Amino acid sequence: MATSTVACDTASLADLGSAASQSLRAEFPARLSKAHGKGRCLYVDGSKREDEDGNMQLGAATWDANNGQVTYIDQSAALGTPVGTILRCESSAIKTALKLHPDEEELHIYTDSLVSLYLIKRAIMDPKRLHVSKYRHMFAEITELLEMRSRKGLRTRLHKVKSHCSDTPAGNTTVDEHAGLIAKGLVSRRLQRTQ
């Protein structure tokens, strides 16, 4: 009888008994704020486009609202698998935002991906429920990055923003355009920053 390699995955999960994990679960917002916070504000987005040959192209980017810096995320390095999905793009942008600012005292990450936020919350509150998920490694790593910040007493807030409507924040529109550029192949497919 064949067994799923994903189900046998041994990616480490958060130690639910650790003080950092308990603090993170207590602080993680039940309702995500839409207000602009103080501190470092990053918009993140992923993009999925179809090229002329019908092939799906993926891209992801972060945009720093404090200084206008864009970070393009290489598909292969960021996604870590040949099986790419828009969820993987969106989540890799969140992971990159956390990696870029491990010591920022207050970090606000804005995304239009409600599914990513839901899965991050699940990974924090009940990580064993992700044991068969193909995204297990990514969300375990995001949880670990959040826990590391929590251990240092640093505040991290994840915010859901609307996309492609009149209420869409300018930052989300900007990062969506940049994620689209890498998906279209108009930006070199490697992690790079630009002002």
Side-chain angles (χ1 to χ4, degrees):
M1 177 181 205
T3 59
S4 168
T5 56
V6 176
C8 297
D9 199 330
T10 58
S12 62
L13 294 170
D15 174 9
L16 294 176
S18 75
S21 182
Q22 289 174 6
S23 172
L24 180 61
R25 287 198 311 277
E27 292 173 6
F28 200 80
R31 190 170 58 82
L32 298 162
S33 168
K34 295 178 185 174
H36 228 322
K38 295 178 181 177
R40 179 75 55 189
C41 298
L42 300 172
Y43 285 84
V44 300
D45 202 17
S47 182
K48 184 176 179 180
R49 307 285 165 102
E50 192 172 316
D51 67 14
E52 302 85 32
D53 300 325
N55 300 314
M56 284 299 169
Q57 301 293 321
L58 302 169
T62 71
W63 182 74
D64 190 326
N66 296 72
N67 61 18
Q69 186 174 50
V70 174
T71 302
Y72 295 102
I73 302 164
D74 175 358
Q75 287 181 31
S76 57
L79 307 182
T81 174
V83 181
T85 64
I86 189 62
L87 174 60
R88 196 176 289 277
C89 287
E90 301 272 8
S91 302
S92 70
I94 293 170
K95 180 178 78 172
T96 299
L98 290 165
K99 282 185 165 184
L100 289 174
H101 300 281
D103 299 313
E104 193 74 41
E105 187 173 345
E106 189 167 343
L107 183 61
H108 295 264
I109 299 174
Y110 297 84
T111 179
D112 59 18
S113 176
L114 187 59
V115 175
S116 292
L117 295 176
Y118 171 76
L119 289 173
I120 290 168
K121 188 167 185 173
R122 178 184 278 186
I124 291 168
M125 303 300 189
D126 191 8
K128 293 186 191 277
R129 289 183 65 194
L130 290 177
H131 74 286
V132 294
S133 172
K134 62 184 174 183
Y135 303 110
R136 176 185 171 99
H137 284 285
M138 177 170 293
F139 289 106
E141 188 171 356
I142 289 171
T143 302
E144 183 181 337
L145 291 165
L146 287 166
E147 272 202 41
M148 286 191 317
R149 288 183 50 78
S150 181
R151 260 184 240 117
K152 297 175 187 175
L154 306 176
R155 175 173 283 187
T156 309
R157 292 288 180 253
L158 304 178
H159 305 269
K160 168 68 174 81
V161 296
K162 292 182 180 178
S163 63
H164 309 295
C165 68
S166 59
D167 293 341
T168 300
N172 186 256
T173 302
T174 299
V175 76
D176 179 60
E177 290 168 0
H178 286 289
L181 289 176
I182 194 166
K184 291 175 184 176
L186 300 176
V187 175
S188 174
R189 296 188 185 284
R190 58 189 167 80
L191 183 67
Q192 71 180 55
R193 292 170 149 186
T194 183
Q195 291 280 356

